[in-house]
Amino acid sequence: RGAPKLRRHLTTPQTGAMQAGFLAKYFYILRGHGARLAAMVALFLLMSVLDLLSVGLIGPFVGIIVDPENLGRLPVLRKALSSLGVIAARDVVIVLGCVLMGLFVVKAGIAYGTQRKIFRFSFFFRAQLVRRLMDAYLRMPYQFFLDRNTSTVVQSVLDHTKITVDDLVIPSLRLVSDI
């Protein structure tokens, strides 16, 4: 019965209503996880700032390697290095190289931690989703199970939650991270 309505809905130019329905369902299954998602967004922002900082420092670093006199054009950096007692051009290049390498190592560690958080959240979310679905099935009337094979119900729960997490939740979190 519902298939003709769905087909008719998909062929109409009003796809905004269908997208709103999708987003409503997406946020429905993610409800209750707002604090964890907000923490991950903060981690994504920190990773973006470190990306910007590390890539932004490559140009001045190469400029100082090519021409040590370029250090004079960066008074803030020159003052910071002279306060540390680093004045010689060779020492400046070594210190800046170490700082840049350290920044890339920290950024890589945070990127690893971010990916780990994404997967931990996704697998935790999947476990909770399976539990919620199984609880809902267990509250179904007995007649429901007489009409269906229970192994297909269980398999359906496991397959649909895996597809939801692997094909929807993880890619959307990675998309937000990349943005």
Side-chain angles (χ1 to χ4, degrees):
R1 251 187 217 178
K5 274 187 178 178
L6 180 63
R7 208 173 296 122
R8 186 171 55 238
H9 180 70
L10 290 175
T11 57
T12 63
Q14 301 168 344
T15 57
M18 186 175 75
Q19 289 173 351
F22 169 76
L23 287 176
K25 290 174 187 173
Y26 185 70
F27 288 125
Y28 173 76
I29 64 170
L30 287 176
R31 77 169 185 210
H33 296 282
R36 288 181 141 202
L37 291 172
M40 287 197 321
V41 167
L43 191 62
F44 298 160
L45 290 174
L46 175 65
M47 198 169 70
S48 296
V49 167
L50 286 175
D51 262 340
L52 183 67
L53 187 62
S54 60
V55 171
L57 288 176
I58 291 175
F61 178 68
V62 170
I64 291 171
I65 289 175
V66 171
D67 184 13
E69 296 301 317
N70 283 335
L71 187 59
R73 295 183 188 147
L74 304 167
V76 174
L77 183 61
R78 186 173 32 115
K79 285 181 184 178
L81 289 172
S82 64
S83 70
L84 293 172
V86 179
I87 298 173
R90 178 176 173 257
D91 294 341
V92 168
V93 169
I94 290 171
V95 168
L96 288 179
C98 289
V99 167
L100 199 57
M101 259 186 359
L103 198 58
F104 273 102
V105 167
V106 168
K107 184 182 72 100
I110 290 176
Y112 170 76
T114 301
Q115 292 301 315
R116 189 167 182 238
K117 278 227 182 265
I118 287 173
F119 282 108
R120 285 186 77 196
F121 171 79
S122 299
F123 294 136
F124 174 76
F125 175 74
R126 180 176 178 211
Q128 279 193 328
L129 193 57
V130 165
R131 186 181 49 93
R132 283 173 44 194
L133 286 172
M134 289 304 292
D135 286 345
Y137 274 124
L138 290 175
R139 281 186 256 122
M140 297 297 282
Y142 185 67
Q143 185 61 38
F144 175 82
F145 294 102
L146 291 176
D147 297 338
R148 288 166 184 79
N149 187 347
T150 54
S151 66
T152 58
V153 170
V154 171
Q155 189 64 33
S156 173
V157 167
L158 295 176
D159 287 346
H160 288 125
T161 55
K162 181 177 179 358
I163 290 169
T164 301
V165 169
D166 291 351
D167 296 344
L168 183 67
V169 175
I170 291 174
S172 63
L173 289 174
R174 283 187 170 170
L175 177 69
V176 171
S177 171
D178 290 345
I179 287 174

mmCIF file of all heavy atoms in Angstrom, residues 101-146:
data_model
loop_
_atom_site.group_PDB
_atom_site.id
_atom_site.type_symbol
_atom_site.label_atom_id
_atom_site.label_comp_id
_atom_site.label_asym_id
_atom_site.label_seq_id
_atom_site.Cartn_x
_atom_site.Cartn_y
_atom_site.Cartn_z
ATOM 1 N N MET A 101 58.222 20.035 13.612
ATOM 2 C CA MET A 101 58.071 18.579 13.709
ATOM 3 C C MET A 101 57.212 18.192 14.904
ATOM 4 O O MET A 101 56.347 17.315 14.797
ATOM 5 C CB MET A 101 59.447 17.911 13.826
ATOM 6 C CG MET A 101 59.933 17.326 12.541
ATOM 7 S SD MET A 101 61.470 16.376 12.621
ATOM 8 C CE MET A 101 62.044 16.415 14.257
ATOM 9 N N GLY A 102 57.455 18.839 16.027
ATOM 10 C CA GLY A 102 56.650 18.563 17.217
ATOM 11 C C GLY A 102 55.182 18.864 16.994
ATOM 12 O O GLY A 102 54.301 18.115 17.431
ATOM 13 N N LEU A 103 54.931 19.961 16.297
ATOM 14 C CA LEU A 103 53.552 20.336 15.997
ATOM 15 C C LEU A 103 52.877 19.289 15.110
ATOM 16 O O LEU A 103 51.723 18.916 15.344
ATOM 17 C CB LEU A 103 53.530 21.705 15.323
ATOM 18 C CG LEU A 103 52.224 22.455 15.297
ATOM 19 C CD1 LEU A 103 51.712 22.680 16.708
ATOM 20 C CD2 LEU A 103 52.420 23.784 14.601
ATOM 21 N N PHE A 104 53.606 18.771 14.123
ATOM 22 C CA PHE A 104 53.041 17.742 13.257
ATOM 23 C C PHE A 104 52.815 16.429 14.014
ATOM 24 O O PHE A 104 51.835 15.728 13.769
ATOM 25 C CB PHE A 104 53.931 17.504 12.031
ATOM 26 C CG PHE A 104 53.622 18.422 10.890
ATOM 27 C CD1 PHE A 104 54.437 19.518 10.640
ATOM 28 C CD2 PHE A 104 52.529 18.216 10.083
ATOM 29 C CE1 PHE A 104 54.152 20.381 9.600
ATOM 30 C CE2 PHE A 104 52.232 19.069 9.043
ATOM 31 C CZ PHE A 104 53.052 20.157 8.791
ATOM 32 N N VAL A 105 53.704 16.115 14.956
ATOM 33 C CA VAL A 105 53.526 14.899 15.753
ATOM 34 C C VAL A 105 52.294 15.040 16.648
ATOM 35 O O VAL A 105 51.484 14.108 16.761
ATOM 36 C CB VAL A 105 54.799 14.600 16.582
ATOM 37 C CG1 VAL A 105 54.538 13.542 17.642
ATOM 38 C CG2 VAL A 105 55.929 14.159 15.669
ATOM 39 N N VAL A 106 52.141 16.208 17.289
ATOM 40 C CA VAL A 106 50.960 16.440 18.134
ATOM 41 C C VAL A 106 49.692 16.375 17.290
ATOM 42 O O VAL A 106 48.691 15.774 17.692
ATOM 43 C CB VAL A 106 51.078 17.795 18.862
ATOM 44 C CG1 VAL A 106 49.763 18.205 19.497
ATOM 45 C CG2 VAL A 106 52.178 17.740 19.906
ATOM 46 N N LYS A 107 49.744 16.992 16.105
ATOM 47 C CA LYS A 107 48.574 16.984 15.219
ATOM 48 C C LYS A 107 48.229 15.551 14.797
ATOM 49 O O LYS A 107 47.057 15.164 14.776
ATOM 50 C CB LYS A 107 48.852 17.841 13.983
ATOM 51 C CG LYS A 107 47.667 17.965 13.054
ATOM 52 C CD LYS A 107 48.002 18.783 11.839
ATOM 53 C CE LYS A 107 48.884 18.049 10.915
ATOM 54 N NZ LYS A 107 48.265 17.425 9.778
ATOM 55 N N ALA A 108 49.243 14.738 14.491
ATOM 56 C CA ALA A 108 48.994 13.347 14.113
ATOM 57 C C ALA A 108 48.404 12.564 15.279
ATOM 58 O O ALA A 108 47.497 11.740 15.101
ATOM 59 C CB ALA A 108 50.281 12.695 13.630
ATOM 60 N N GLY A 109 48.894 12.821 16.493
ATOM 61 C CA GLY A 109 48.342 12.151 17.671
ATOM 62 C C GLY A 109 46.891 12.521 17.905
ATOM 63 O O GLY A 109 46.059 11.669 18.235
ATOM 64 N N ILE A 110 46.572 13.793 17.724
ATOM 65 C CA ILE A 110 45.184 14.224 17.899
ATOM 66 C C ILE A 110 44.305 13.660 16.792
ATOM 67 O O ILE A 110 43.162 13.271 17.041
ATOM 68 C CB ILE A 110 45.105 15.758 17.988
ATOM 69 C CG1 ILE A 110 45.717 16.212 19.309
ATOM 70 C CG2 ILE A 110 43.671 16.255 17.856
ATOM 71 C CD1 ILE A 110 45.785 17.696 19.499
ATOM 72 N N ALA A 111 44.832 13.576 15.568
ATOM 73 C CA ALA A 111 44.065 12.979 14.463
ATOM 74 C C ALA A 111 43.781 11.503 14.758
ATOM 75 O O ALA A 111 42.668 11.012 14.528
ATOM 76 C CB ALA A 111 44.810 13.130 13.149
ATOM 77 N N TYR A 112 44.779 10.810 15.288
ATOM 78 C CA TYR A 112 44.579 9.408 15.669
ATOM 79 C C TYR A 112 43.514 9.298 16.763
ATOM 80 O O TYR A 112 42.617 8.463 16.705
ATOM 81 C CB TYR A 112 45.900 8.790 16.138
ATOM 82 C CG TYR A 112 45.726 7.433 16.769
ATOM 83 C CD1 TYR A 112 45.499 6.308 15.984
ATOM 84 C CD2 TYR A 112 45.767 7.273 18.151
ATOM 85 C CE1 TYR A 112 45.321 5.058 16.560
ATOM 86 C CE2 TYR A 112 45.591 6.035 18.736
ATOM 87 C CZ TYR A 112 45.370 4.931 17.938
ATOM 88 O OH TYR A 112 45.186 3.706 18.513
ATOM 89 N N GLY A 113 43.637 10.154 17.768
ATOM 90 C CA GLY A 113 42.665 10.154 18.858
ATOM 91 C C GLY A 113 41.263 10.472 18.373
ATOM 92 O O GLY A 113 40.280 9.906 18.861
ATOM 93 N N THR A 114 41.172 11.381 17.405
ATOM 94 C CA THR A 114 39.868 11.740 16.847
ATOM 95 C C THR A 114 39.234 10.550 16.137
ATOM 96 O O THR A 114 38.051 10.251 16.346
ATOM 97 C CB THR A 114 40.016 12.922 15.874
ATOM 98 O OG1 THR A 114 40.564 14.028 16.581
ATOM 99 C CG2 THR A 114 38.693 13.306 15.259
ATOM 100 N N GLN A 115 40.016 9.865 15.309
ATOM 101 C CA GLN A 115 39.484 8.698 14.612
ATOM 102 C C GLN A 115 39.084 7.609 15.611
ATOM 103 O O GLN A 115 38.054 6.943 15.457
ATOM 104 C CB GLN A 115 40.506 8.141 13.616
ATOM 105 C CG GLN A 115 40.758 9.053 12.444
ATOM 106 C CD GLN A 115 39.494 9.341 11.655
ATOM 107 O OE1 GLN A 115 38.712 8.448 11.354
ATOM 108 N NE2 GLN A 115 39.287 10.597 11.327
ATOM 109 N N ARG A 116 39.875 7.461 16.644
ATOM 110 C CA ARG A 116 39.559 6.476 17.678
ATOM 111 C C ARG A 116 38.253 6.829 18.379
ATOM 112 O O ARG A 116 37.421 5.960 18.639
ATOM 113 C CB ARG A 116 40.711 6.425 18.676
ATOM 114 C CG ARG A 116 40.594 5.303 19.648
ATOM 115 C CD ARG A 116 41.901 5.098 20.392
ATOM 116 N NE ARG A 116 41.742 3.979 21.267
ATOM 117 C CZ ARG A 116 41.912 4.023 22.580
ATOM 118 N NH1 ARG A 116 42.279 5.144 23.150
ATOM 119 N NH2 ARG A 116 41.731 2.964 23.310
ATOM 120 N N LYS A 117 38.058 8.117 18.680
ATOM 121 C CA LYS A 117 36.808 8.557 19.320
ATOM 122 C C LYS A 117 35.613 8.319 18.405
ATOM 123 O O LYS A 117 34.542 7.927 18.875
ATOM 124 C CB LYS A 117 36.896 10.039 19.687
ATOM 125 C CG LYS A 117 37.614 10.300 20.963
ATOM 126 C CD LYS A 117 36.781 11.266 21.764
ATOM 127 C CE LYS A 117 37.467 11.608 23.046
ATOM 128 N NZ LYS A 117 37.044 10.790 24.144
ATOM 129 N N ILE A 118 35.789 8.575 17.114
ATOM 130 C CA ILE A 118 34.704 8.351 16.160
ATOM 131 C C ILE A 118 34.282 6.884 16.184
ATOM 132 O O ILE A 118 33.097 6.561 16.264
ATOM 133 C CB ILE A 118 35.114 8.786 14.737
ATOM 134 C CG1 ILE A 118 35.150 10.309 14.636
ATOM 135 C CG2 ILE A 118 34.172 8.208 13.685
ATOM 136 C CD1 ILE A 118 35.707 10.836 13.326
ATOM 137 N N PHE A 119 35.260 5.980 16.126
ATOM 138 C CA PHE A 119 34.924 4.557 16.114
ATOM 139 C C PHE A 119 34.370 4.093 17.463
ATOM 140 O O PHE A 119 33.424 3.303 17.495
ATOM 141 C CB PHE A 119 36.133 3.712 15.710
ATOM 142 C CG PHE A 119 36.383 3.743 14.232
ATOM 143 C CD1 PHE A 119 37.461 4.421 13.711
ATOM 144 C CD2 PHE A 119 35.517 3.112 13.363
ATOM 145 C CE1 PHE A 119 37.684 4.465 12.351
ATOM 146 C CE2 PHE A 119 35.720 3.142 12.001
ATOM 147 C CZ PHE A 119 36.812 3.823 11.488
ATOM 148 N N ARG A 120 34.919 4.578 18.566
ATOM 149 C CA ARG A 120 34.388 4.190 19.881
ATOM 150 C C ARG A 120 32.945 4.657 20.030
ATOM 151 O O ARG A 120 32.079 3.916 20.500
ATOM 152 C CB ARG A 120 35.238 4.777 21.000
ATOM 153 C CG ARG A 120 36.558 4.038 21.170
ATOM 154 C CD ARG A 120 37.316 4.520 22.356
ATOM 155 N NE ARG A 120 36.674 3.932 23.535
ATOM 156 C CZ ARG A 120 36.871 4.358 24.759
ATOM 157 N NH1 ARG A 120 37.663 5.371 24.977
ATOM 158 N NH2 ARG A 120 36.275 3.784 25.775
ATOM 159 N N PHE A 121 32.683 5.900 19.631
ATOM 160 C CA PHE A 121 31.313 6.406 19.706
ATOM 161 C C PHE A 121 30.396 5.573 18.822
ATOM 162 O O PHE A 121 29.295 5.206 19.226
ATOM 163 C CB PHE A 121 31.253 7.874 19.276
ATOM 164 C CG PHE A 121 29.849 8.381 19.137
ATOM 165 C CD1 PHE A 121 29.111 8.747 20.252
ATOM 166 C CD2 PHE A 121 29.254 8.465 17.889
ATOM 167 C CE1 PHE A 121 27.808 9.192 20.132
ATOM 168 C CE2 PHE A 121 27.948 8.914 17.749
ATOM 169 C CZ PHE A 121 27.229 9.275 18.875
ATOM 170 N N SER A 122 30.843 5.275 17.613
ATOM 171 C CA SER A 122 30.003 4.543 16.664
ATOM 172 C C SER A 122 29.678 3.142 17.161
ATOM 173 O O SER A 122 28.531 2.689 17.063
ATOM 174 C CB SER A 122 30.692 4.471 15.301
ATOM 175 O OG SER A 122 30.886 5.760 14.799
ATOM 176 N N PHE A 123 30.665 2.446 17.713
ATOM 177 C CA PHE A 123 30.406 1.094 18.193
ATOM 178 C C PHE A 123 29.561 1.105 19.464
ATOM 179 O O PHE A 123 28.702 0.240 19.654
ATOM 180 C CB PHE A 123 31.709 0.330 18.398
ATOM 181 C CG PHE A 123 32.447 0.082 17.111
ATOM 182 C CD1 PHE A 123 33.802 0.271 17.029
ATOM 183 C CD2 PHE A 123 31.771 -0.316 15.968
ATOM 184 C CE1 PHE A 123 34.476 0.058 15.837
ATOM 185 C CE2 PHE A 123 32.423 -0.531 14.772
ATOM 186 C CZ PHE A 123 33.786 -0.350 14.710
ATOM 187 N N PHE A 124 29.774 2.094 20.332
ATOM 188 C CA PHE A 124 28.932 2.248 21.513
ATOM 189 C C PHE A 124 27.502 2.563 21.090
ATOM 190 O O PHE A 124 26.542 2.001 21.623
ATOM 191 C CB PHE A 124 29.494 3.362 22.409
ATOM 192 C CG PHE A 124 28.623 3.699 23.578
ATOM 193 C CD1 PHE A 124 28.570 2.869 24.684
ATOM 194 C CD2 PHE A 124 27.853 4.854 23.574
ATOM 195 C CE1 PHE A 124 27.763 3.179 25.769
ATOM 196 C CE2 PHE A 124 27.046 5.176 24.647
ATOM 197 C CZ PHE A 124 27.005 4.331 25.744
ATOM 198 N N PHE A 125 27.371 3.448 20.105
ATOM 199 C CA PHE A 125 26.055 3.814 19.589
ATOM 200 C C PHE A 125 25.359 2.593 19.001
ATOM 201 O O PHE A 125 24.173 2.371 19.215
ATOM 202 C CB PHE A 125 26.207 4.916 18.539
ATOM 203 C CG PHE A 125 24.926 5.275 17.866
ATOM 204 C CD1 PHE A 125 23.961 6.013 18.516
ATOM 205 C CD2 PHE A 125 24.676 4.857 16.568
ATOM 206 C CE1 PHE A 125 22.765 6.332 17.893
ATOM 207 C CE2 PHE A 125 23.493 5.172 15.940
ATOM 208 C CZ PHE A 125 22.538 5.911 16.609
ATOM 209 N N ARG A 126 26.103 1.775 18.268
ATOM 210 C CA ARG A 126 25.509 0.574 17.667
ATOM 211 C C ARG A 126 25.017 -0.379 18.747
ATOM 212 O O ARG A 126 23.917 -0.937 18.644
ATOM 213 C CB ARG A 126 26.519 -0.134 16.773
ATOM 214 C CG ARG A 126 25.934 -1.369 16.132
ATOM 215 C CD ARG A 126 26.884 -2.023 15.179
ATOM 216 N NE ARG A 126 26.264 -3.218 14.644
ATOM 217 C CZ ARG A 126 26.929 -4.280 14.281
ATOM 218 N NH1 ARG A 126 28.233 -4.302 14.341
ATOM 219 N NH2 ARG A 126 26.298 -5.332 13.821
ATOM 220 N N ALA A 127 25.797 -0.550 19.788
ATOM 221 C CA ALA A 127 25.381 -1.443 20.873
ATOM 222 C C ALA A 127 24.107 -0.928 21.537
ATOM 223 O O ALA A 127 23.197 -1.707 21.833
ATOM 224 C CB ALA A 127 26.501 -1.574 21.896
ATOM 225 N N GLN A 128 24.032 0.370 21.746
ATOM 226 C CA GLN A 128 22.818 0.933 22.346
ATOM 227 C C GLN A 128 21.621 0.799 21.413
ATOM 228 O O GLN A 128 20.509 0.522 21.854
ATOM 229 C CB GLN A 128 23.030 2.403 22.688
ATOM 230 C CG GLN A 128 23.751 2.616 23.977
ATOM 231 C CD GLN A 128 23.652 4.055 24.412
ATOM 232 O OE1 GLN A 128 23.593 4.964 23.602
ATOM 233 N NE2 GLN A 128 23.644 4.263 25.715
ATOM 234 N N LEU A 129 21.853 0.992 20.123
ATOM 235 C CA LEU A 129 20.774 0.866 19.150
ATOM 236 C C LEU A 129 20.251 -0.568 19.093
ATOM 237 O O LEU A 129 19.035 -0.790 19.053
ATOM 238 C CB LEU A 129 21.263 1.330 17.774
ATOM 239 C CG LEU A 129 20.229 1.568 16.699
ATOM 240 C CD1 LEU A 129 19.202 2.596 17.149
ATOM 241 C CD2 LEU A 129 20.915 2.033 15.421
ATOM 242 N N VAL A 130 21.147 -1.533 19.121
ATOM 243 C CA VAL A 130 20.733 -2.940 19.132
ATOM 244 C C VAL A 130 19.911 -3.218 20.386
ATOM 245 O O VAL A 130 18.855 -3.865 20.328
ATOM 246 C CB VAL A 130 21.957 -3.883 19.063
ATOM 247 C CG1 VAL A 130 21.577 -5.307 19.430
ATOM 248 C CG2 VAL A 130 22.582 -3.850 17.683
ATOM 249 N N ARG A 131 20.371 -2.714 21.521
ATOM 250 C CA ARG A 131 19.642 -2.928 22.771
ATOM 251 C C ARG A 131 18.248 -2.307 22.717
ATOM 252 O O ARG A 131 17.263 -2.926 23.109
ATOM 253 C CB ARG A 131 20.427 -2.350 23.943
ATOM 254 C CG ARG A 131 19.807 -2.655 25.289
ATOM 255 C CD ARG A 131 20.600 -2.040 26.427
ATOM 256 N NE ARG A 131 20.893 -0.634 26.158
ATOM 257 C CZ ARG A 131 20.141 0.379 26.571
ATOM 258 N NH1 ARG A 131 19.070 0.152 27.279
ATOM 259 N NH2 ARG A 131 20.461 1.614 26.281
ATOM 260 N N ARG A 132 18.163 -1.077 22.183
ATOM 261 C CA ARG A 132 16.857 -0.417 22.088
ATOM 262 C C ARG A 132 15.911 -1.177 21.170
ATOM 263 O O ARG A 132 14.727 -1.343 21.471
ATOM 264 C CB ARG A 132 17.025 1.022 21.578
ATOM 265 C CG ARG A 132 17.531 1.960 22.643
ATOM 266 C CD ARG A 132 17.868 3.345 22.164
ATOM 267 N NE ARG A 132 16.918 3.951 21.256
ATOM 268 C CZ ARG A 132 17.186 5.038 20.542
ATOM 269 N NH1 ARG A 132 18.371 5.628 20.618
ATOM 270 N NH2 ARG A 132 16.282 5.547 19.730
ATOM 271 N N LEU A 133 16.429 -1.653 20.040
ATOM 272 C CA LEU A 133 15.584 -2.402 19.106
ATOM 273 C C LEU A 133 15.146 -3.735 19.705
ATOM 274 O O LEU A 133 13.984 -4.145 19.560
ATOM 275 C CB LEU A 133 16.317 -2.622 17.785
ATOM 276 C CG LEU A 133 16.435 -1.396 16.893
ATOM 277 C CD1 LEU A 133 17.352 -1.683 15.718
ATOM 278 C CD2 LEU A 133 15.065 -0.973 16.392
ATOM 279 N N MET A 134 16.072 -4.422 20.370
ATOM 280 C CA MET A 134 15.710 -5.703 20.980
ATOM 281 C C MET A 134 14.692 -5.492 22.098
ATOM 282 O O MET A 134 13.768 -6.290 22.250
ATOM 283 C CB MET A 134 16.952 -6.427 21.510
ATOM 284 C CG MET A 134 17.846 -6.953 20.400
ATOM 285 S SD MET A 134 17.017 -8.048 19.230
ATOM 286 C CE MET A 134 16.686 -9.460 20.250
ATOM 287 N N ASP A 135 14.838 -4.422 22.870
ATOM 288 C CA ASP A 135 13.833 -4.116 23.888
ATOM 289 C C ASP A 135 12.468 -3.880 23.258
ATOM 290 O O ASP A 135 11.443 -4.336 23.771
ATOM 291 C CB ASP A 135 14.238 -2.888 24.711
ATOM 292 C CG ASP A 135 15.360 -3.171 25.692
ATOM 293 O OD1 ASP A 135 15.641 -4.364 25.951
ATOM 294 O OD2 ASP A 135 15.955 -2.196 26.191
ATOM 295 N N ALA A 136 12.463 -3.169 22.137
ATOM 296 C CA ALA A 136 11.190 -2.912 21.449
ATOM 297 C C ALA A 136 10.587 -4.207 20.930
ATOM 298 O O ALA A 136 9.368 -4.420 21.046
ATOM 299 C CB ALA A 136 11.412 -1.933 20.296
ATOM 300 N N TYR A 137 11.430 -5.099 20.385
ATOM 301 C CA TYR A 137 10.912 -6.382 19.903
ATOM 302 C C TYR A 137 10.393 -7.232 21.053
ATOM 303 O O TYR A 137 9.388 -7.935 20.916
ATOM 304 C CB TYR A 137 11.988 -7.155 19.134
ATOM 305 C CG TYR A 137 12.072 -6.771 17.676
ATOM 306 C CD1 TYR A 137 13.265 -6.334 17.116
ATOM 307 C CD2 TYR A 137 10.963 -6.870 16.842
ATOM 308 C CE1 TYR A 137 13.348 -5.985 15.788
ATOM 309 C CE2 TYR A 137 11.027 -6.532 15.508
ATOM 310 C CZ TYR A 137 12.229 -6.085 14.988
ATOM 311 O OH TYR A 137 12.297 -5.751 13.667
ATOM 312 N N LEU A 138 11.055 -7.171 22.188
ATOM 313 C CA LEU A 138 10.610 -7.985 23.323
ATOM 314 C C LEU A 138 9.286 -7.500 23.893
ATOM 315 O O LEU A 138 8.563 -8.265 24.543
ATOM 316 C CB LEU A 138 11.689 -8.002 24.417
ATOM 317 C CG LEU A 138 12.936 -8.789 24.059
ATOM 318 C CD1 LEU A 138 13.990 -8.641 25.149
ATOM 319 C CD2 LEU A 138 12.602 -10.256 23.827
ATOM 320 N N ARG A 139 8.936 -6.260 23.649
ATOM 321 C CA ARG A 139 7.654 -5.735 24.108
ATOM 322 C C ARG A 139 6.531 -5.981 23.098
ATOM 323 O O ARG A 139 5.388 -5.633 23.359
ATOM 324 C CB ARG A 139 7.783 -4.228 24.394
ATOM 325 C CG ARG A 139 8.444 -3.979 25.745
ATOM 326 C CD ARG A 139 8.455 -2.525 26.120
ATOM 327 N NE ARG A 139 9.822 -2.050 25.901
ATOM 328 C CZ ARG A 139 10.175 -1.065 25.101
ATOM 329 N NH1 ARG A 139 9.282 -0.388 24.446
ATOM 330 N NH2 ARG A 139 11.432 -0.727 24.962
ATOM 331 N N MET A 140 6.863 -6.562 21.973
ATOM 332 C CA MET A 140 5.846 -6.833 20.950
ATOM 333 C C MET A 140 4.932 -7.961 21.440
ATOM 334 O O MET A 140 5.349 -8.829 22.204
ATOM 335 C CB MET A 140 6.504 -7.258 19.632
ATOM 336 C CG MET A 140 7.373 -6.198 19.001
ATOM 337 S SD MET A 140 6.481 -4.736 18.530
ATOM 338 C CE MET A 140 5.723 -5.271 17.038
ATOM 339 N N PRO A 141 3.678 -7.970 20.978
ATOM 340 C CA PRO A 141 2.767 -9.054 21.375
ATOM 341 C C PRO A 141 3.226 -10.400 20.796
ATOM 342 O O PRO A 141 3.947 -10.449 19.792
ATOM 343 C CB PRO A 141 1.419 -8.631 20.783
ATOM 344 C CG PRO A 141 1.709 -7.572 19.801
ATOM 345 C CD PRO A 141 3.045 -6.984 20.127
ATOM 346 N N TYR A 142 2.796 -11.449 21.424
ATOM 347 C CA TYR A 142 3.199 -12.794 21.028
ATOM 348 C C TYR A 142 2.812 -13.106 19.579
ATOM 349 O O TYR A 142 3.545 -13.780 18.870
ATOM 350 C CB TYR A 142 2.582 -13.809 21.993
ATOM 351 C CG TYR A 142 3.019 -15.221 21.743
ATOM 352 C CD1 TYR A 142 4.332 -15.595 21.963
ATOM 353 C CD2 TYR A 142 2.118 -16.173 21.292
ATOM 354 C CE1 TYR A 142 4.747 -16.890 21.732
ATOM 355 C CE2 TYR A 142 2.519 -17.477 21.054
ATOM 356 C CZ TYR A 142 3.846 -17.830 21.278
ATOM 357 O OH TYR A 142 4.242 -19.110 21.045
ATOM 358 N N GLN A 143 1.689 -12.591 19.137
ATOM 359 C CA GLN A 143 1.217 -12.837 17.769
ATOM 360 C C GLN A 143 2.241 -12.357 16.732
ATOM 361 O O GLN A 143 2.383 -12.946 15.677
ATOM 362 C CB GLN A 143 -0.133 -12.136 17.548
ATOM 363 C CG GLN A 143 -0.760 -12.425 16.208
ATOM 364 C CD GLN A 143 -1.067 -13.909 16.013
ATOM 365 O OE1 GLN A 143 -1.473 -14.601 16.944
ATOM 366 N NE2 GLN A 143 -0.859 -14.401 14.808
ATOM 367 N N PHE A 144 2.933 -11.286 17.048
ATOM 368 C CA PHE A 144 3.958 -10.757 16.145
ATOM 369 C C PHE A 144 5.001 -11.834 15.843
ATOM 370 O O PHE A 144 5.425 -12.004 14.700
ATOM 371 C CB PHE A 144 4.616 -9.525 16.784
ATOM 372 C CG PHE A 144 5.768 -8.970 16.008
ATOM 373 C CD1 PHE A 144 5.564 -8.115 14.936
ATOM 374 C CD2 PHE A 144 7.079 -9.297 16.344
ATOM 375 C CE1 PHE A 144 6.630 -7.604 14.218
ATOM 376 C CE2 PHE A 144 8.146 -8.789 15.629
ATOM 377 C CZ PHE A 144 7.920 -7.940 14.567
ATOM 378 N N PHE A 145 5.399 -12.588 16.861
ATOM 379 C CA PHE A 145 6.431 -13.602 16.678
ATOM 380 C C PHE A 145 5.894 -14.877 16.037
ATOM 381 O O PHE A 145 6.657 -15.635 15.441
ATOM 382 C CB PHE A 145 7.110 -13.920 18.015
ATOM 383 C CG PHE A 145 7.877 -12.757 18.550
ATOM 384 C CD1 PHE A 145 7.361 -11.973 19.572
ATOM 385 C CD2 PHE A 145 9.098 -12.409 18.014
ATOM 386 C CE1 PHE A 145 8.065 -10.892 20.062
ATOM 387 C CE2 PHE A 145 9.815 -11.330 18.495
ATOM 388 C CZ PHE A 145 9.297 -10.562 19.517
ATOM 389 N N LEU A 146 4.600 -15.095 16.160
ATOM 390 C CA LEU A 146 4.011 -16.259 15.494
ATOM 391 C C LEU A 146 3.995 -16.050 13.980
ATOM 392 O O LEU A 146 4.078 -17.013 13.222
ATOM 393 C CB LEU A 146 2.590 -16.508 16.010
ATOM 394 C CG LEU A 146 2.473 -16.998 17.450
ATOM 395 C CD1 LEU A 146 1.016 -17.116 17.851
ATOM 396 C CD2 LEU A 146 3.200 -18.326 17.619
#
